[in-house]
Amino acid sequence: MNSSSSNSRTSTSARQSENSQLQMVPELSYDEMNQISEETMKRYSSNSIPKRKGKGVGIVWFRNDLRVLDNEALFRAWVSSEIVLPVYCVDPRIFNGTTHHFGFPKTGALRTLFLIECLEDLKKKLMQRGLNLLIQHGKPEEVIPLLVKAYGAHTVYAHKETCSEELSVERLVKTRLLEVKLPVKTGPAKNQSATYSAKLELVWGSTMYHVDDLPFDCSNLPDVYTQFRKNVESKSSVRSCIMIPTSLGPPPDIEDWGQVPAISDLGSHEEKIRKGMRFVGGETAALTRVHEYFWKKDLLRIYKETRNGMLGPDYSTKFSPWLASGSISPRVIYEEVKRYEKERHANDSTYWVLFELIWRDYFRFISIKYGNHLFHPGGPRKLKYTWSQDVGLFEAWRDGRTGYPLIDANMKELSATGFMSNRGRQIVCSFLVRDMGIDWRMGAEWFETCLLDYDPCSNYGNWTYGAGVGNDPREDRYFSIPKQAKNYDPEGDYVAYWLPELRSLPKDRRNFPGHFYIKPVVSLKHGNCNTTFGKNRAPRRR
């Protein structure tokens, strides 16, 4: 971790004093986070780990698995090799590329900063266990074969992905590895001219339930989540976490391991988060957040009752940014839930955290079943819709200028922090698609730019679901803004936080400010807004 990052997190009081509206997630000091992380790591270490039997060098290609704990690719490389070379490729397609259809930045500044912190923490954690992280700038299919050739590596270990862009890179790496011919160093002298190619060994490690343990092949995956969930809960079990050795060394002899890039090195600029939540990247922060939410604050006990909140860090677990970057595995969360149930309390709330993790699994498996249909206008259902791509309306939604405080507040939170509540995501999706009639892919690609917790499966799975072209048994699912506001922001605290101009209004008017706020850009498709938006009211829902 570089000194500027460390100094900025030396104490909770120092971090919060900079701006009373800024809430760190997790909120504990840097020293406390390190202590909690190490204690957690010890619980998942074992003295009975099999001894190393392999020879030569194994490369670990880190992708969206920026952790040491429960990292099977790292463990396999350690077991099967004398020396492990961990590498991360700073891929220009990820950090300098654009989204597929509409050309938004593929990785926005806030997620870039979060990933930089993840890499800093991973490098530190590997060094604590006798290794290091080689940082290379370039495409993996160009970088990794050069490393294989330079170090005579026998295997490249990596976690498998499921969507087309990532699969394409896997295929390119595999193809390029076949082109690298390495001399066979063992055997009789007459075979000294023999050569071999390093192999790419892909490991499944992104879901709570392993793909090989499902009670059906992904091609036969149920198209309704409830059917999927009931099947896996009754017929499958969650595998135990991979125990890690306390020492992963020795490292290869490398003079320059490279530096974790600064945000300016990646063609971006640092955007200061001045209000809302500031997530700290890395495995240390991820393990701390689990401890903080489950054990220190005992919030797991009431998760189901609070999970639909929108303001503050503690209405929900907030694990998703670390899950998306692979800074924590869902199996660790599963085991911590089970430990909590055993040592403290088991109820609907403890189960509901696992329920949400199964949703995350489901979207990952759906991406295997439907492939690129996940990104097509008609989605997995292959429906025929004519969507508008009105730039003016989209930009009003994107910038939080729709005239509907609940929409605008959520979009401003997204731009300012890289995060939005689950409830907020459903509401703004429904508004963009149902009320504005805008192509859902524009919304999905903007989320791809902004979200700290972006991963293609969950993001596009949720957007197709919300747009009515995905795996939703209910057609034309609609979120009424007046109803949502009354249910989830009844006193207008959330909208007043993000839209300060509404604070002076009575609490029951903040979500319904009429002429005190900007004019709505469209009328609502459903919902009686007669008393809330004056002349801009929409017809009653029939």
Side-chain angles (χ1 to χ4, degrees):
M1 186 76 65
N2 62 34
S3 59
S4 62
S5 298
S6 305
N7 292 338
S8 68
R9 296 194 286 273
T10 53
S11 71
T12 302
S13 59
R15 290 180 289 144
Q16 292 180 337
S17 64
E18 294 178 5
N19 190 329
S20 60
Q21 295 194 83
L22 185 64
Q23 296 172 292
M24 303 296 289
V25 187
E27 69 178 27
L28 302 181
S29 72
Y30 185 60
D31 288 341
E32 289 175 303
M33 288 198 293
N34 276 328
Q35 181 180 352
I36 290 166
S37 173
E38 284 307 306
E39 289 173 354
T40 306
M41 301 288 281
K42 288 177 182 176
R43 283 202 304 275
Y44 292 93
S45 299
S46 173
N47 295 324
S48 60
I49 292 174
K51 292 184 178 181
R52 305 171 80 165
K53 297 179 180 179
K55 300 292 184 181
V57 176
I59 291 176
V60 181
W61 169 27
F62 280 93
R63 306 172 78 189
N64 298 309
D65 56 339
L66 305 180
R67 65 179 184 271
V68 172
L69 183 58
D70 194 35
N71 189 320
E72 189 168 352
L74 177 61
F75 180 75
R76 285 198 192 182
W78 180 84
V79 167
S80 62
S81 313
E82 291 174 295
I83 294 174
V84 174
L85 172 54
V87 61
Y88 181 85
C89 299
V90 182
D91 191 333
R93 293 167 298 198
I94 294 174
F95 292 101
N96 301 115
T98 57
T99 59
H100 187 72
H101 288 287
F102 303 103
F104 307 140
K106 192 164 186 64
T107 305
L110 294 177
R111 186 163 79 253
T112 298
L113 179 61
F114 184 82
L115 291 173
I116 287 171
E117 292 182 346
C118 290
L119 291 173
E120 290 173 340
D121 192 66
L122 176 61
K123 192 174 182 74
K124 180 193 74 175
K125 275 193 149 31
L126 288 170
M127 291 176 71
Q128 289 173 343
R129 284 157 180 78
L131 286 180
N132 203 329
L133 180 65
L134 180 62
I135 306 289
Q136 296 279 282
H137 289 256
K139 298 176 180 178
E141 64 267 26
E142 297 170 355
V143 169
I144 290 175
L146 292 177
L147 293 175
V148 166
K149 185 174 183 179
Y151 294 96
H154 57 80
T155 308
V156 176
Y157 300 87
H159 277 109
K160 179 155 185 61
E161 293 289 342
T162 61
C163 291
S164 56
E165 291 179 359
E166 293 79 7
L167 292 176
S168 175
V169 176
E170 288 177 9
R171 286 192 294 269
L172 287 169
V173 170
K174 187 174 183 178
T175 299
R176 298 285 178 85
L177 288 179
L178 292 174
E179 298 170 0
V180 178
K181 302 301 180 182
L182 300 169
V184 176
K185 296 180 180 180
T186 59
K190 63 180 180 180
N191 292 329
Q192 286 183 356
S193 61
T195 61
Y196 73 96
S197 296
K199 61 181 180 178
L200 175 62
E201 185 168 319
L202 296 170
V203 181
W204 188 267
S206 59
T207 54
M208 185 167 72
Y209 286 97
H210 197 286
V211 66
D212 292 341
D213 298 337
L214 298 180
F216 28 64
D217 187 86
C218 283
S219 61
N220 296 315
L221 199 76
D223 284 327
V224 176
Y225 168 73
T226 301
Q227 295 174 5
F228 168 80
R229 176 182 58 80
K230 289 181 176 179
N231 267 281
V232 296
E233 285 181 331
S234 62
K235 299 176 182 178
S236 304
S237 59
V238 177
R239 296 185 183 185
S240 298
C241 291
I242 300 294
M243 292 292 180
I244 59 166
T246 54
S247 174
L248 296 166
D253 185 14
I254 296 178
E255 184 175 339
D256 182 8
W257 286 86
Q259 297 295 317
V260 174
I263 195 166
S264 58
D265 298 331
L266 301 175
S268 190
H269 62 279
E270 185 169 353
E271 293 185 7
K272 292 285 186 181
I273 300 176
R274 304 189 183 280
K275 64 185 298 186
M277 291 176 288
R278 162 68 162 91
F279 287 81
V280 181
E283 183 175 21
T284 296
L287 298 176
T288 300
R289 178 57 182 175
V290 174
H291 174 85
E292 177 182 78
Y293 190 86
F294 286 11
W295 304 98
K296 182 179 176 64
K297 296 185 176 182
D298 203 28
L299 293 169
L300 178 55
R301 185 185 299 263
I302 56 171
Y303 168 74
K304 191 178 181 184
E305 288 73 45
T306 64
R307 65 192 170 90
N308 279 313
M310 290 191 287
L311 188 60
D314 288 341
Y315 61 81
S316 65
T317 66
K318 304 295 187 299
F319 296 154
S320 60
W322 296 292
L323 283 165
S325 62
S327 300
I328 192 169
S329 89
R331 294 193 302 207
V332 168
I333 297 173
Y334 173 86
E335 292 201 8
E336 288 297 296
V337 168
K338 291 302 178 183
R339 186 165 74 92
Y340 180 95
E341 289 180 334
K342 182 178 179 180
E343 297 181 16
R344 288 200 181 171
H345 190 69
N347 61 8
D348 285 348
S349 288
T350 58
Y351 166 72
W352 215 257
V353 170
L354 305 182
F355 177 93
E356 299 291 358
L357 287 175
I358 300 172
W359 255 118
R360 183 178 174 275
D361 281 10
Y362 183 57
F363 283 134
R364 178 71 56 153
F365 299 132
I366 281 290
S367 73
I368 298 175
K369 179 175 181 178
Y370 287 106
N372 278 348
H373 287 291
L374 196 64
F375 310 105
H376 292 173
R381 295 172 67 184
K382 305 175 187 177
L383 299 179
K384 300 295 183 182
Y385 279 139
T386 301
W387 302 99
S388 168
Q389 294 179 1
D390 186 297
V391 174
L393 283 180
F394 172 77
E395 289 181 349
W397 177 85
R398 179 196 68 188
D399 299 337
R401 296 182 288 102
T402 68
Y404 295 96
L406 192 60
I407 301 298
D408 296 347
N410 272 287
M411 296 309 296
K412 288 185 181 298
E413 180 182 19
L414 175 64
S415 294
T417 69
F419 191 82
M420 187 190 295
S421 68
N422 182 60
R423 176 61 49 175
R425 297 182 201 205
Q426 295 177 83
I427 296 168
V428 302
C429 170
S430 174
F431 180 78
L432 183 75
V433 173
R434 310 294 185 192
D435 294 309
M436 286 184 149
I438 298 293
D439 191 332
W440 65 268
R441 296 174 301 165
M442 297 180 81
E445 289 193 13
W446 183 243
F447 272 31
E448 180 175 349
T449 295
C450 296
L451 284 174
L452 300 181
D453 60 15
Y454 170 76
D455 87 71
C457 308
S458 292
N459 184 59
Y460 285 89
N462 273 303
W463 269 95
T464 57
Y465 187 95
V469 298
N471 300 85
D472 185 356
R474 284 177 52 186
E475 293 187 11
D476 200 28
R477 186 183 295 268
Y478 182 81
F479 286 78
S480 163
I481 293 175
K483 182 179 179 181
Q484 296 294 314
K486 289 177 180 177
N487 286 347
Y488 300 106
D489 191 29
E491 297 191 344
D493 292 333
Y494 176 75
V495 296
Y497 181 85
W498 288 105
L499 305 169
E501 63 268 36
L502 300 178
R503 290 176 189 167
S504 61
L505 295 180
K507 291 185 175 183
D508 62 349
R509 295 287 295 173
R510 289 173 174 174
N511 271 289
F512 314 108
H515 65 276
F516 292 103
Y517 190 57
I518 58 178
K519 182 180 179 180
V521 293
V522 295
S523 296
L524 297 179
K525 181 179 178 182
H526 299 300
N528 180 12
C529 298
N530 186 39
T531 61
T532 60
F533 296 108
K535 294 180 181 179
N536 299 296
R537 65 183 181 270
R540 289 180 180 271
R541 186 169 187 175
R542 295 180 183 274

